[in-house]
Amino acid sequence: MNNGIVESVMKKLSIFGIPMDLGAGRRGVDMGPSALRLAQLANSLETLGYDVTDHGNIAVPVAEAVDDAVSDENLHYKAAIALACQATYDKLSTLDDNTIPIILGGDHSISMGSVAGVSQRGRTGVIWVDAHSDVNTPDTSPSGNIHGMPLAHLLGYGNPELRNIWGGGAAVKAEDIVFIGLRSVDKGERQFIHDHNISAYTMADIDQHGIARVAAETLEQLEHLDYIHVSFDADSLDPMIAPGVGTPVPGGLSYREAHLLMELFAASEKVTSVDLVEVNPILDTKNATAEIMVEMCSSLLGKSIL
Ligand SMILES: [Mn+2]
């Protein structure tokens, strides 16, 4: 306590919704921002002592109103996704260091806008908590769904029009990325991860070594960076506790593992931005997945038991 002699500065959080499902194979994650707000995201964070501002949603073209649904480049809805990611980038790249942006997806393609945007503040580490590695390119993607490709683009591969969101090239470095929770990786992605020597903790690694060690090693690898972005895909969680996701894969993070992971990241006080993506209310049970994501986000930003 400083007894009011020095006025303490309240930490700021800025919430942005991106109601986008164009990058996913099934409809519904465009309702993710509403579900997360309904699950009391802002309230929960205010309770932790943050000054929270909800900036509303970023405009996303409506699927039925765009005509590049199926593209011959194996990049479905490319133009519409580029537009929404550009708007996201424009908002986030102008934020100052005094606020922690929280980006509500939407499918994971929005992270092209969010990660590139926040990385304009300085070199940024990216912790990608996900069942999937999202490093397909249009050449390797089995589906053409862009939510499986954001990291490849952020690393400077894939389609130049999408990379043009941040002016081309790579927005982040391979050595600054850590995957946690992987259990469904396509053949081309496996090659990509090996070729770029990206740190990856699969579910098998977590089973073997425990989530605490995974968290510690992740933080150690990114220790030298001033900015750390956590991109949290709801499908990293086990579908038993988070059924409302676009691409469920069995054998995911348990409630306690995910929770501890968030708490250990919080303890480092290094997290400077967050994505909460791939919540699909259509497939959910009474908004349970959005609620668990709000709990995870609260823990990530400092909610503790004692
Ligand atoms: Mn993902």
Side-chain angles (χ1 to χ4, degrees):
M1 291 294 283
N2 51 41
N3 300 320
I5 296 164
V6 181
E7 198 178 317
S8 69
V9 179
M10 235 177 158
K11 270 186 147 181
K12 289 184 194 161
L13 300 179
S14 302
I15 296 173
F16 297 89
I18 312 172
M20 152 100 90
D21 69 353
L22 303 174
R26 351 167 44 157
R27 306 297 306 276
V29 290
D30 57 321
M31 289 176 263
S34 297
L36 291 160
R37 288 184 174 115
L38 196 64
Q40 303 295 317
L41 176 66
N43 270 352
S44 306
L45 298 170
E46 273 163 5
T47 307
L48 299 178
Y50 287 99
D51 175 7
V52 182
T53 306
D54 191 330
H55 295 267
N57 285 346
I58 284 164
V60 176
V62 172
E64 285 77 5
V66 295
D67 54 12
D68 63 340
V70 176
S71 86
D72 46 15
E73 296 173 291
N74 204 29
L75 286 159
H76 306 326
Y77 295 111
K78 180 186 71 178
I81 289 171
L83 214 64
C85 286
Q86 184 71 61
T88 306
Y89 173 89
D90 291 346
K91 290 248 187 210
L92 295 177
S93 58
T94 55
L95 291 178
D96 60 30
D97 280 352
N98 298 324
T99 193
I100 297 177
I102 301 174
I103 298 92
L104 316 180
D107 70 70
H108 222 157
S109 68
I110 64 153
S111 296
M112 288 188 289
S114 65
V115 174
V118 298
S119 68
Q120 296 307 303
R121 299 193 291 195
R123 188 171 158 181
T124 302
V126 179
I127 305 175
W128 201 268
V129 185
D130 202 323
H132 311 88
S133 53
D134 300 346
V135 283
N136 269 304
T137 64
D139 294 332
T140 65
S141 169
S143 66
N145 295 327
I146 296 179
H147 75 159
M149 313 184 200
L151 256 183
H153 285 85
L154 288 164
L155 285 165
Y157 293 83
N159 183 273
E161 274 175 69
L162 289 173
R163 287 201 311 276
N164 204 34
I165 294 161
W166 53 89
V172 291
K173 292 172 187 284
E175 70 211 71
D176 296 344
I177 294 169
V178 180
F179 289 115
I180 297 177
L182 298 185
R183 56 194 186 278
S184 176
V185 179
D186 295 323
K187 191 165 169 255
E189 294 185 293
R190 206 170 297 146
Q191 191 63 48
F192 190 102
I193 291 168
H194 288 145
D195 288 349
H196 295 85
N197 203 20
I198 303 175
S199 296
Y201 296 97
T202 64
M203 285 312 300
D205 295 322
I206 295 165
D207 288 340
Q208 258 188 316
H209 305 299
I211 198 75
R213 179 165 150 193
V214 168
E217 288 181 7
T218 298
L219 291 168
E220 196 183 312
Q221 181 184 330
L222 305 177
E223 199 177 17
H224 61 292
L225 299 170
D226 291 330
Y227 301 92
I228 293 182
H229 178 90
V230 174
S231 197
F232 197 113
D233 189 320
D235 73 23
S236 63
L237 300 167
D238 195 278
M240 302 270 280
I241 55 164
V245 299
T247 322
V249 188
L253 294 171
S254 71
Y255 183 87
R256 289 171 67 159
E257 283 170 333
H259 223 271
L260 181 57
L261 185 66
M262 296 300 112
E263 287 178 329
L264 292 169
F265 289 161
S268 76
E269 297 186 351
K270 295 274 287 184
V271 175
T272 47
S273 48
V274 183
D275 295 328
L276 302 175
V277 301
E278 299 279 352
V279 172
N280 191 332
I282 288 177
L283 304 172
D284 208 1
T285 311
K286 291 187 176 171
N287 217 26
T289 306
E291 283 173 9
I292 207 172
M293 289 294 275
V294 167
E295 284 182 51
M296 293 302 157
C297 185
S298 299
S299 295
L300 180 59
L301 294 171
K303 185 177 184 186
S304 59
I305 297 167
L306 293 175

